[in-house]
Amino acid sequence: MDEKVGHCAECDKTIYCKDGFLDGVHYKGKIYCWECDQICNMQNLDENDEELH
């Protein structure tokens, strides 16, 4: 079962919850599609920032 949960904060693509699992990435209060997460590599950016400080 697919349930619409919102839109990607980057590209505005519709994000669904599929069979109880988010079909995207929840990050810092926003949701992103898999493609935008891979392009922006958001999670790795924060990890690198923490290593620098």
Side-chain angles (χ1 to χ4, degrees):
M1 182 170 124
D2 293 352
E3 180 180 346
K4 181 179 167 183
V5 293
H7 296 276
C8 175
E10 286 291 315
C11 71
D12 205 35
K13 178 180 175 182
T14 303
I15 306 288
Y16 293 92
C17 184
K18 296 186 177 192
D19 296 322
F21 295 95
L22 180 65
D23 190 27
V25 177
H26 178 259
Y27 185 69
K28 290 192 174 183
K30 297 180 181 178
I31 54 174
Y32 299 90
C33 67
W34 292 114
E35 292 83 11
C36 287
D37 178 59
Q38 292 297 315
I39 291 168
C40 296
N41 213 359
M42 290 171 238
Q43 293 176 349
N44 288 335
L45 290 176
D46 271 355
E47 290 172 6
N48 290 338
D49 284 346
E50 289 174 7
E51 290 175 6
L52 295 174
H53 297 293

